[in-house]
Amino acid sequence: MRYTDLTQFLKRGTRGFDIETARTLEKDHWNATTLHIYSHAGTHMDSPWHFGVSSRTIDEYPVDRFFSSCRVIDVPGCKPSQAIKPADLDLPAGFTLSGEGVMLRTGWSRFAGTGKYRDELPRISPELATWLVENGVRMLGVEPPSVADVNNPEELTRVHTILLGGDIIIIEGLCNLDKIRGKEVQVVALPLKIYKGDGAPCRVIAIEP
């Protein structure tokens, strides 16, 4: 099996994350740090409660939802601020997705750590969000820090509401999708088990034969 880590590092300088020394080996006999983490920092998962779609929080998902067969789908020529529609996806004829997940490969992770990464992100259009729900997709992973324009509250709410209302697991802030060789992978996405959490950083691994 071939394993690819799709998770960004959480490190000082990451938006929504900081780390400070709590204990040192020399003074306290062990090393330890205190972490300050925004619930949607780095690679993370959203819960329906994040946008008030339902009362379900991150800890209430059954663990089987964190495992899914997924298709890696390219968006050829993806541009900054592009509203991605079904017609923009590189899909073969007769393509079906029911019961599977989608890892959307845009190449956007290469801008992580820049202003462009957040403010010019290519995003899921309402049309594509509806299409994913209608096609029975159970998990959606994207490289930008959000599936929708974070500077447009109306669009942000609408797209998240469509996806979360359709019971799609949303994973944002992926990386290393370019290292996946095939079009079909098994994905494991394990969020921190935060009680009543609106979302949580998670470790995401793709597994290929």
Side-chain angles (χ1 to χ4, degrees):
M1 308 299 285
R2 186 170 186 269
Y3 299 85
T4 303
D5 192 344
L6 305 181
T7 317
Q8 294 185 38
F9 284 105
L10 286 173
K11 58 185 179 181
R12 186 173 284 114
T14 298
R15 188 183 183 96
F17 176 82
D18 201 6
I19 184 171
E20 61 181 288
T21 300
R23 298 288 186 271
T24 64
L25 191 63
E26 295 75 16
K27 181 181 178 181
D28 307 293
H29 307 289
W30 67 87
N31 291 315
T33 53
T34 299
L35 308 179
H36 303 271
I37 310 176
Y38 175 56
S39 55
H40 300 268
T43 305
H44 64 276
M45 184 181 294
D46 292 349
S47 79
W49 176 242
H50 183 34
F51 279 88
V53 175
S54 76
S55 61
R56 175 181 273 183
T57 50
I58 205 73
D59 54 303
E60 294 175 335
Y61 274 115
V63 293
D64 64 283
R65 290 303 313 276
F66 304 142
F67 300 78
S68 182
S69 58
C70 290
R71 304 288 186 101
V72 180
I73 299 178
D74 290 296
V75 184
C78 187
K79 297 177 177 61
S81 302
Q82 179 177 343
I84 303 169
K85 298 180 179 179
D88 298 321
L89 305 183
D90 182 18
L91 298 175
F95 192 76
T96 59
L97 282 168
S98 184
E100 293 187 295
V102 167
M103 299 288 110
L104 206 58
R105 187 159 53 192
T106 59
W108 201 251
S109 59
R110 69 187 185 276
F111 297 115
T114 71
K116 183 174 185 174
Y117 177 65
R118 179 180 185 273
D119 294 328
E120 298 180 41
L121 58 82
R123 72 259 196 221
I124 305 297
S125 67
E127 294 91 339
L128 179 54
T130 300
W131 183 87
L132 292 167
V133 171
E134 290 175 347
N135 278 270
V137 170
R138 69 192 310 267
M139 178 183 285
L140 172 64
V142 299
E143 294 180 64
S146 176
V147 291
D149 184 354
V150 295
N151 298 312
N152 184 333
E154 182 179 349
E155 177 186 300
L156 191 71
T157 299
R158 184 180 179 194
V159 172
H160 277 88
T161 298
I162 293 169
L163 294 171
L164 293 169
D167 199 27
I168 294 178
I169 292 272
I170 298 175
I171 306 163
E172 300 163 323
L174 296 175
C175 63
N176 295 329
L177 284 174
D178 58 311
K179 295 181 180 178
I180 294 176
R181 296 172 180 172
K183 292 291 189 180
E184 298 184 18
V185 295
Q186 295 293 319
V187 170
V188 180
L190 298 177
L192 294 177
K193 193 175 182 180
I194 299 173
Y195 182 67
K196 299 301 180 185
D198 54 89
C202 61
R203 191 70 178 264
V204 186
I205 308 296
I207 306 169
E208 297 179 87

